[in-house]
Structures are given as structure tokens and as C-alpha cells.
Amino acid sequence: MKNIVFLGAPGAGKGTQSEFIIKKYGIIQISTGDMLRAAVKAGSPLGKVAKEYMDNGKLVTDEIIIGLMKERLAQPDCKNGFILDGFPRTLAQAKSLDIMLQEDMKTEITHIISLEVPDEYIVERITGRRTSPVTGKIYHVKYNPPAVEGMAEDGKTPLIQRDDDKEETVKKRLEVFHEQADALKSYYKSTGKLFIVDGTKAPDTVFAEIEEILK
Ligand code: AMP
């Protein structure tokens, strides 16, 4: 059983590595960012509240996120293992997660993978990031371009850029990440299940390291 948590700055490669893990191990990915973006797109009450925080690069409140995750983890597809991408982001979320897993699911986190990328790399990585609306696959205009420039796999649907992937918002998101990162890492260090991975390398190289960890 693999219940994986990804830690790492925005743009560290959590989403990309999650895609590889899903393919190889057949477990599901839960991305709170993707869930919130879906809520914003649907115009739901949650989406309306979340949008305000997201557009400013701030964290949505712990209360909202924890409620959202509690509901998500109760779904049957989580029973065979999962990757958490973008959650937990605060110490309060990490503690709630442990309790939810223990009490509601009689399970626990098996691996915490911290993908480490220095800030200097992040802005270029994120501002060049594009997503395929067809498959959800993540591209980069320079480092991982699609087959047809600017287009999704069908060659005709334009790739999209996340609203919060603009430079000013990225800087704020990085600042917010650093406010929480040390506390989260030290919380998980004591579990003996924290693995640090150099996220500056090519995606395949990073994945090879992750495969070793998940063996
Ligand atoms: P992400 O796609 O993980 O970069 O998340 C995009 C945005 O969604 C973040 O900048 C936050 O505003 C919000 N968000 C996603 N996950 C969380 C979380 N665990 N706690 C608080 N806010 C979150």
C-alpha cells in the first residue's frame, strides 16, 4: 500500500511526478489545487470563496481545505493508495490528515517526498507551465513542449495557463510556501518516512529516484 504525500514549492514538479506514479503504480492522485480550480470553474459556493484566495496567491483556509479532503478521502477509490499533491500545506492540515487517516480509514501515510527546487528556478518553470485541457497533462513551453506548439494532444485545442501562474502571483505563492515549509518538514522528519529529492534534475531522473524510494 502506498499513501504518498508530495511536499515542494509550486512548480517543483509534484504534478508531473504524480503523473508518472499514477501510470506505474495505478494509484490515484488527489490535488487540492485541481479540486479548487474545478470548483471555481463550476462557479460553486466553494469556488467563489476559493477564487479570492487563489488569485492573490494566498492559502485557502484550513477549515475549508480539511473539510474538502475529509469528503474526498471518504470516496472508495482512496482505499488502494493515493498521492496527495498540494496537501497538506500547513501544520494544522498535516495533523488533521493523520487523524482522518487513522480514525476514518485505519491507515497512514507511507512516504513523504519533498521535491526540492531553489527559488531561482521556480519563476521560469511556472511562468512557462501550460496545461492540456484535453488530458490534463502538464507541459512547459521550453523544457517540455507539446508536439504541436501551443496545442493539446489533438493538435487544435490551445494549451492553457493557470490564472495564478503569472509572475506576481508566483512570487506571493513562493513566499507563502516558505512560511510553512520548515514546520511541515520537521513534523514529517520525526516519522522516519521523509525523503528529500533533488527536483532540479530532468523529470525522468527525478522519477528514477522516486522509484527507488517507493520500492
Ligand atoms: P496548487 O495547484 O497546489 O498550486 O494550488 C493552487 C492554489 O489553491 C494555492 O495557491 C491555494 O490558494 C489553493 N490551495 C491548494 N491547496 C491548498 C491547501 N492544501 N491549503 C490551502 N490552500 C490550498
Side-chain angles (χ1 to χ4, degrees):
M1 172 75 116
K2 291 177 174 50
N3 294 332
I4 304 164
V5 164
F6 260 127
L7 299 181
K14 303 185 294 293
T16 300
Q17 294 301 322
S18 294
E19 285 176 10
F20 293 150
I21 297 178
I22 292 167
K23 237 193 208 155
K24 171 152 185 186
Y25 299 96
I27 56 178
I28 59 154
Q29 172 209 24
I30 302 174
S31 155
T32 40
D34 285 349
M35 289 162 80
L36 294 171
R37 278 184 289 281
V40 170
K41 206 170 161 196
S44 70
L46 164 68
K48 288 194 176 112
V49 177
K51 187 176 183 339
E52 191 77 22
Y53 293 99
M54 295 168 83
D55 285 349
N56 291 305
K58 293 186 182 158
L59 292 184
V60 174
T61 64
D62 285 337
E63 198 188 351
I64 293 178
I65 292 288
I66 290 166
L68 193 68
M69 280 303 293
K70 206 173 161 67
E71 251 177 56
R72 182 64 188 87
L73 287 170
Q75 304 294 313
D77 62 347
C78 298
K79 290 206 170 66
N80 301 319
F82 49 77
I83 311 164
L84 302 185
D85 166 1
F87 175 92
R89 271 221 191 25
T90 64
L91 201 53
Q93 292 179 15
K95 290 180 177 168
S96 296
L97 172 65
D98 282 346
I99 295 169
M100 282 188 252
L101 294 178
Q102 243 166 48
E103 292 184 354
D104 304 343
M105 297 171 74
K106 310 278 176 263
T107 189
E108 59 182 16
I109 297 298
T110 55
H111 303 82
I112 300 103
I113 301 175
S114 177
L115 268 182
E116 315 231 328
V117 175
D119 286 3
E120 306 84 273
Y121 292 72
I122 296 290
V123 175
E124 196 196 9
R125 274 196 183 192
I126 300 201
T127 50
R129 171 159 75 180
R130 301 289 184 274
T131 312
S132 160
V134 177
T135 59
K137 206 169 141 38
I138 305 158
Y139 294 93
H140 187 283
V141 291
K142 187 162 142 197
Y143 303 119
N144 181 24
V148 180
E149 195 186 326
M151 297 296 165
E153 298 74 10
D154 62 3
K156 57 180 187 199
T157 311
L159 296 178
I160 47 178
Q161 182 178 33
R162 280 171 47 172
D163 285 342
D164 61 349
D165 277 354
K166 311 277 154 62
E167 189 161 345
E168 324 78 70
T169 324
V170 171
K171 288 192 172 141
K172 177 66 190 165
R173 285 163 64 203
L174 260 181
E175 205 181 286
V176 169
F177 165 74
H178 285 296
E179 279 166 19
Q180 309 288 342
D182 288 347
L184 269 182
K185 257 168 77 178
S186 35
Y187 178 72
Y188 282 127
K189 210 170 183 175
S190 62
T191 64
K193 297 174 196 158
L194 173 68
F195 300 88
I196 311 281
V197 174
D198 176 359
T200 60
K201 305 208 182 112
D204 292 355
T205 314
V206 174
F207 185 56
E209 239 180 87
I210 291 177
E211 282 179 297
E212 279 302 308
I213 292 168
L214 296 178
K215 254 185 186 160

